[in-house]
Amino acid sequence: HLREINIYESGPLYAKFAAAGKYKQENKSELISLMDSWIIKLRSEAVIKCDIGKLNFLKKILKAKSILCSTNVNPGLLLEEMFISQYA
């Protein structure tokens, strides 16, 4: 998961969208697993460095995971929306 997480954290937007595009309803459990790993990584970094930006992004991931687990949302589009909101 670390390679994909690195793309999501520091890759260009087109690479993030390309990676997010592989997630569909059929494999959303894979995305949930990736999000769990990402949450652990970000939480550790945010706490150690007291990084407010990472804490705010962690909140977005937690919210997206909650939506993903409780609805039939398109997982790839949910990730894309999360990336776009970073620039707003």
Side-chain angles (χ1 to χ4, degrees), residues 58-74:
L58 180 59
K59 285 186 207 176
K60 289 180 183 184
I61 295 170
L62 289 167
K63 182 178 177 183
K65 182 181 172 198
S66 175
I67 292 168
L68 185 62
C69 290
S70 61
T71 67
N72 287 329
V73 69
N74 180 311

Side-chain angles (χ1 to χ4, degrees), residues 1 16 19 33-34 39 43-44 56 62 79 82:
H1 290 184
K16 293 176 184 182
S33 175
L34 177 121
I39 288 166
R43 182 187 171 281
S44 298
N56 287 332
L62 289 167
L79 275 178
M82 193 172 69

Side-chain angles (χ1 to χ4, degrees), residues 8-21:
Y8 291 148
E9 287 184 343
S10 59
L13 192 56
Y14 72 87
K16 293 176 184 182
F17 275 35

Side-chain angles (χ1 to χ4, degrees), residues 25-36:
Q25 280 297 320
E26 300 79 33
N27 64 346
K28 81 177 191 177
S29 62
E30 293 175 28
L31 179 56
I32 292 169
S33 175
L34 177 121
M35 287 178 146
D36 287 339

